[in-house]
Amino acid sequence: MPERSSRRRQPGPRSRRRPSRTRTSARTRWSAVSVLTVALVLTGCSKDPAATTAPTAAATAPAAASTSPSTGVTAPETSESDVVRARSGDFGVVPPEAWAEATDRAGDVQGLDMVLLSSRKVGGFSTNLVVLTSAGDDAALEAEIAKGREQMGAAGRTVTETPDKQVAGSTATGFQTAFEQQGVKVVARSYGLTRGGKVYLLTLSSAEQEADHAMTELDEILASWTWS
């Protein structure tokens, strides 16, 4: 019998294992374009003279007043034609006086559901409300809010607490940030809530000197909010 070679087979070079690719979740992409930062996208739009829009039908039509049980804010009675529907079809709101829908002006933002823009400029800035929608639960919302606070703080913004808001029977929690953009001092209030397996992120942005009035207008919007 032929003798077996006493030589041991030298192991070949080990194949390098590629590091496992971490899955980029929708939550990561969501954070990058979330309502917590999208106010910056609209700052340029709000400084554009073309962004000044005519008042909505809801603003020009006289109406009787009613009080929303969820916010205690007096809101005008409206008809279906006054309601602006979200792209998702999940909800609708009635814009305040001199506000109009501007969703198409915000560019290609993932999950963008609604943009409302005031035609009134204060300090060169038009108050705006942005709503983003994605699939998620309470845990996803908590992570989103925490990530937003972290990102805004890292960007040098002043981050403070803001009171919860009631949105058609759901509680929205969030925070406030203050920063300067293109020479304009901006205050942004960011809120999040969940309903029916979805996360809704809202950001109200206004010039600093318009912050109190902007909050009053937000309350008016939330008083008109209805789920579909």
Side-chain angles (χ1 to χ4, degrees):
M1 289 180 63
E3 290 185 3
R4 290 186 180 176
S5 171
S6 59
R7 282 186 175 179
R8 277 189 170 180
R9 196 178 208 174
Q10 294 298 322
R14 288 186 180 179
S15 60
R16 291 184 181 177
R17 297 180 65 185
R18 293 183 180 178
S20 62
R21 208 171 175 182
T22 52
R23 186 177 159 195
T24 303
S25 67
R27 186 179 301 170
T28 303
R29 294 190 298 270
W30 180 253
S31 297
V33 293
S34 73
V35 70
L36 309 173
T37 58
V38 78
L40 290 175
V41 177
L42 289 181
T43 300
C45 171
S46 65
K47 292 174 74 66
D48 181 355
T52 301
T53 55
T56 62
T60 57
S66 62
T67 302
S68 165
S70 61
T71 63
V73 174
T74 300
E77 290 182 359
T78 57
S79 65
E80 183 63 26
S81 61
D82 299 324
V83 177
V84 173
R85 294 286 171 193
R87 282 179 173 175
S88 65
D90 293 346
F91 64 91
V93 300
V94 178
E97 182 178 352
W99 285 61
E101 184 180 11
T103 311
D104 293 339
R105 294 184 185 174
D108 186 17
V109 179
Q110 183 181 355
L112 184 67
D113 214 358
M114 178 183 287
V115 177
L116 297 179
L117 183 68
S118 172
S119 64
R120 240 179 112 247
K121 287 190 179 182
V122 176
F125 190 94
S126 294
T127 302
N128 60 78
L129 175 68
V130 181
V131 182
L132 293 185
T133 303
S134 68
D137 53 14
D138 290 342
L141 173 61
E142 287 178 16
E144 191 67 59
I145 294 293
K147 184 68 174 176
R149 293 178 66 103
E150 179 187 337
Q151 287 180 339
M152 298 304 98
R157 298 187 185 186
T158 303
V159 181
T160 56
E161 300 297 327
T162 189
D164 293 350
K165 291 288 182 184
Q166 290 299 309
V167 181
S170 301
T171 300
T173 60
F175 58 91
Q176 174 176 304
T177 58
F179 57 98
E180 189 168 323
Q181 178 73 14
Q182 298 178 9
V184 179
K185 291 184 177 179
V186 178
V187 174
R189 282 92 163 205
S190 299
Y191 301 94
L193 65 142
T194 59
R195 185 179 186 271
K198 289 187 177 181
V199 172
Y200 299 87
L201 299 178
L202 300 74
T203 286
L204 174 77
S205 301
S206 68
E208 185 180 66
Q209 62 265 49
E210 181 72 355
D212 291 341
H213 185 246
M215 185 59 82
T216 300
E217 291 182 308
L218 175 63
D219 288 338
E220 185 179 333
I221 293 169
L222 297 185
S224 74
W225 188 298
T226 54
W227 298 107
S228 301

